[in-house]
Amino acid sequence: MHDLNEIAIFARVVREQSFTKAARALGLPKSTVSERVSRLEERLGVRLLERTTRHVRPTAAGTVYYERAARVVAEIEEANAAITDIHRSPKGLLRVGSPLLFGHAFLGDFVADFLVTHPEVEVELIVADRRFDVVEEGLDLAIHVLGPIEASLVARKIGIAERMCVASPGYLENHAPPTTPKELLKHSCLVSSNDRRATWVFSKDGRSESIAIQGRYSVNSVQLALSAALRGAGVAVLPAFFCAEAVRAGRLTQVLDDWSVGRSEIHIVYPGSRHLSARVRLFVDALIERFTALPPWLLGPDGRGLVIDPSTVGAGTGVTDVAALHHEYDHLRDVRGVIG
């Protein structure tokens, strides 16, 4: 059996391209490093390194051996780090990126609870209406809602972001509710973007309709679009998790509820390193546990399930009967078509 220390030393020499630098990084005498590599070559019966006064480069055989040896060494280092984490309380700074709306709606109280549970962890939460470059910005993780996910990132799904087409009861008293997507062209539409022109895509029974909307009011804030809809200014397409409580309270009414207005999956993404620090792993697991307990749109701003019927679930906003809440969810999905 080969000495794993010899393999690790060889991998470090290739990585550093220098015996001197490898010895310094490993805290060993240069002579020891050279001796161990020579011993490994002797055991294998093949030369692994080309040595000159200026450079140390792997031979063809050395390159093949390094590609496999490096993976073995990485696995061992990750195993050591994982075992160390088991006996170490999570500590240090955790940098998290989140879309503005999702962060405001769900992460505030969640992060506060996490900090209370893990007093030695610090969190820097960055919320913005843009995509985050996790690696470039030095983030530990980010919430990803729209667009493709980079291949270098690990993605774990935490839910689905549905969208709903809604208007206030007051608006619908003065304007006949649309029965087809095309009838929206006769309505005052509220667009949550920087451009008054928007395309709303509706789907039903395997077919879809794209409606080019000329918004009467456009605003680059979903919160302000929601406020305008609540005050009767028109019809809006909004994230279901953001307006579902207003629908349940009767302050908004879903229109075209037999049509789907689209959805996007919500993921936690983080760099593809196979080893996660204890603080990152605990944060990811806690977030997944919080958001997979119930469909995302049933969660309130405090991250707990919103009560639909206090007589079946319990008073307040805490969930006392998850089965009853899931029953209410299934009932609403069947009757209202809130979730496609």
Side-chain angles (χ1 to χ4, degrees):
M1 179 179 292
H2 294 294
D3 188 335
L4 290 177
N5 287 324
E6 292 176 357
I7 297 173
I9 290 171
F10 162 73
R12 174 65 72 167
V13 171
V14 174
R15 193 184 315 167
E16 300 290 348
Q17 299 181 10
S18 165
F19 281 98
T20 301
K21 291 180 180 179
R24 187 180 304 122
L26 294 169
L28 295 172
K30 179 181 175 182
S31 58
T32 300
V33 171
S34 179
E35 178 188 349
R36 292 296 185 91
V37 172
S38 296
R39 189 184 302 171
L40 178 62
E41 290 176 319
E42 184 178 340
R43 291 178 191 274
L44 294 172
V46 64
R47 188 173 57 178
L48 298 174
L49 297 175
E50 294 281 2
R51 302 165 174 84
T52 69
T53 55
R54 294 187 177 182
H55 301 289
V56 175
R57 295 182 182 138
T59 62
T63 298
V64 173
Y65 191 75
Y66 171 74
E67 289 175 353
R68 289 163 174 75
R71 287 199 294 269
V72 172
V73 172
E75 291 284 357
I76 294 172
E77 290 175 348
E78 288 168 10
N80 291 339
I83 292 297
T84 301
D85 279 346
I86 291 175
H87 300 286
R88 180 189 300 159
S89 297
K91 62 178 63 178
L93 178 63
L94 184 64
R95 301 189 74 239
V96 181
S98 170
L100 188 66
L101 176 60
F102 189 92
H104 284 180
F106 299 122
L107 291 185
D109 286 355
F110 171 82
V111 170
D113 292 343
F114 186 83
L115 291 173
V116 171
T117 305
H118 305 287
E120 294 188 80
V121 174
E122 302 171 16
V123 174
E124 181 180 342
L125 176 60
I126 305 164
V127 293
D129 277 331
R130 61 176 176 81
R131 292 186 64 183
F132 292 91
D133 187 326
V134 177
V135 176
E136 184 68 23
E137 297 181 51
L139 300 175
D140 292 293
L141 60 99
I143 306 298
H144 182 95
V145 178
L146 297 174
I149 298 174
E150 294 181 18
S152 62
L153 300 177
V154 174
R156 296 181 65 181
K157 181 179 173 182
I158 61 174
I160 294 176
E162 304 281 347
R163 288 188 286 276
M164 297 169 62
C165 189
V166 295
S168 71
Y171 175 86
L172 296 175
E173 285 180 6
N174 299 316
H175 304 81
T179 57
T180 67
K182 288 183 179 179
E183 291 184 10
L184 287 171
L185 298 175
K186 304 175 183 178
H187 283 264
S188 171
C189 293
L190 313 174
V191 178
S192 55
S193 74
N194 288 315
D195 195 336
R196 291 177 60 205
R197 293 166 296 180
T199 299
W200 291 353
V201 180
F202 295 80
S203 59
K204 176 182 179 182
D205 299 330
R207 61 191 176 92
S208 62
E209 289 190 23
S210 299
I211 308 300
I213 299 297
Q214 182 71 23
R216 185 180 174 212
Y217 175 41
S218 65
V219 58
N220 64 340
S221 165
V222 177
Q223 175 68 63
L224 293 180
L226 171 64
S227 297
L230 288 169
R231 296 183 70 85
V235 181
V237 170
L238 301 169
F241 64 75
F242 200 58
C243 62
E245 176 61 7
V247 172
R248 283 192 293 274
R251 299 176 63 202
L252 287 177
T253 300
Q254 189 181 10
V255 298
L256 298 172
D257 56 4
D258 54 341
W259 291 80
S260 170
V261 201
R263 64 177 65 182
S264 56
E265 294 185 344
I266 306 172
H267 290 90
I268 302 172
V269 297
Y270 48 87
S273 170
R274 285 171 287 180
H275 171 69
L276 293 177
S277 67
R279 61 183 180 276
V280 174
R281 186 176 63 252
L282 286 172
F283 190 93
V284 169
D285 289 345
L287 195 59
I288 289 174
E289 181 181 1
R290 173 74 62 95
F291 282 88
T292 55
L294 293 168
W297 73 278
L298 285 180
L299 299 176
D302 61 358
R304 295 177 296 174
L306 290 168
V307 169
I308 298 172
D309 182 354
S311 67
T312 61
V313 182
T317 57
V319 178
T320 58
D321 188 342
V322 173
L325 191 50
H326 273 294
H327 174 75
E328 286 287 345
Y329 160 65
D330 292 335
H331 173 71
L332 280 177
R333 179 175 58 184
D334 295 338
V335 174
R336 288 170 152 176
V338 171
I339 297 288

